[in-house]
Amino acid sequence: LGLGADDYMIKPFSPNELVARVKAHINRFRSISSSEENEIIELEELLIDKTAHRVFVNDEEISFTHKEFKLLSYLAERPNRVWSKEELFERIWDFDALDTDVSTVVVHVKRIREKLKKANMTEIPIETIWGSGYRFNRN
């Protein structure tokens, strides 16, 4: 179990017990996978399909890099909260912000905004809160 197994059985075992355990694992897998389906974040003009890793503005798909997509999704899932560059860097890049230059967050936010603006999105939802960080505005 410590190496990643989900279950084990000691011999001799009943075939009925084996079948029951397999069915339980299949049911657990189905419930997990069905809850992951259609992870969609939707605003008026913006649709983020996390499962398919796709972003649409006014029904037109926009291409994002992996980190841009991850950053946009992260902010959109947690709207109306101010996130510092350090917090975003630690959550998206999985590095400690104290040891690294977090200006990459600024660059990625700029690229996201440019792509959304180029797609003719009327109001860009990522707002800069000077001296604090960024907020995804969602009503």
Side-chain angles (χ1 to χ4, degrees), residues 61-72:
E61 188 170 2
I62 304 173
S63 178
F64 284 98
T65 67
H66 177 70
K67 291 297 184 188
E68 290 168 350
F69 181 83
K70 198 171 175 184
L71 180 59
L72 178 62

Side-chain angles (χ1 to χ4, degrees), residues 16 69 113 117:
N16 291 337
F69 181 83
R113 286 177 173 156
K117 188 174 183 178

Side-chain angles (χ1 to χ4, degrees), residues 40-43 76-77 79-80 125 136-139:
I40 293 176
I41 303 165
E42 195 170 355
L43 296 171
E77 286 179 320
N80 304 320
F136 191 93
N137 292 318
R138 189 172 181 182
N139 298 330

Side-chain angles (χ1 to χ4, degrees), residues 27-39 51:
N27 289 337
R28 192 173 310 122
F29 174 76
R30 284 184 181 153
S31 69
I32 290 171
S33 62
S34 68
S35 67
E36 291 176 358
E37 290 178 21
N38 298 328
E39 285 192 55
T51 307

